[in-house]
Amino acid sequence: EVQVVESGGGSVQAGGSLRLSCTVSGFKFHDAALGWFRQVPGKEREAVAAIDTIGSTTYADSVKDRFTVSADNTKRTLYLQMNNLKPEDTAMYYCAAVPGAMVRYCSDSNIKINYWGQGTQVTVSA
């Protein structure tokens, strides 16, 4: 059974930091393209950051130099360190996975995400 479980969301003031975690099971972690997406009500889900199977990363322009995505293969966990948070970062954050070395970045356009987490809410107040 595949499980994708996020944690670490919460409420912070602008300028603060949060670290999201996503622990997965049920597929090979080391050959999965993993990433973070976010969504606010009434808008489409957008890619935030992604990591490929060799540790290369890519970010949305809006979060570059503030967010860092990383993966710990031994813990089967994906992380998103978010610094200098802004009110516009407020959203539900979702972990995404595409197993089987099928794609490089799961955040690329037209990639079908195989597995989503349930989401974790991040709220940033001004």
Side-chain angles (χ1 to χ4, degrees):
E1 178 187 4
V2 172
Q3 290 190 325
V4 180
V5 181
E6 302 104 333
S7 62
S11 297
V12 296
Q13 291 189 328
S17 298
L18 284 173
R19 189 176 80 156
L20 306 184
S21 299
C22 172
T23 302
V24 308
S25 60
F27 58 85
K28 292 180 180 179
F29 186 86
H30 66 273
D31 68 358
L34 303 166
W36 293 95
F37 290 69
R38 66 188 181 187
Q39 188 171 24
V40 297
K43 293 190 176 181
E44 291 189 359
R45 192 170 296 189
E46 63 173 359
V48 174
I51 188 167
D52 70 5
T53 57
I54 61 171
S56 297
T57 58
T58 185
Y59 299 91
D61 288 343
S62 59
V63 306
K64 279 180 182 176
D65 300 323
R66 299 189 298 122
F67 290 12
T68 302
V69 60
S70 61
D72 186 329
N73 287 345
T74 60
K75 295 182 179 180
R76 301 178 60 84
T77 300
L78 179 73
Y79 300 100
L80 184 67
Q81 178 67 44
M82 305 184 293
N83 298 328
N84 190 21
L85 282 159
K86 302 176 180 181
E88 51 264 42
D89 295 317
T90 295
M92 185 72 78
Y93 283 71
Y94 296 91
C95 179
V98 180
M102 300 299 290
V103 302
R104 184 178 183 190
Y105 293 122
C106 65
S107 58
D108 287 345
S109 299
N110 302 317
I111 296 298
K112 180 184 181 300
I113 302 297
N114 295 97
Y115 303 109
W116 292 99
Q118 81 287 356
T120 186
Q121 178 67 36
V122 171
T123 302
V124 185
S125 58

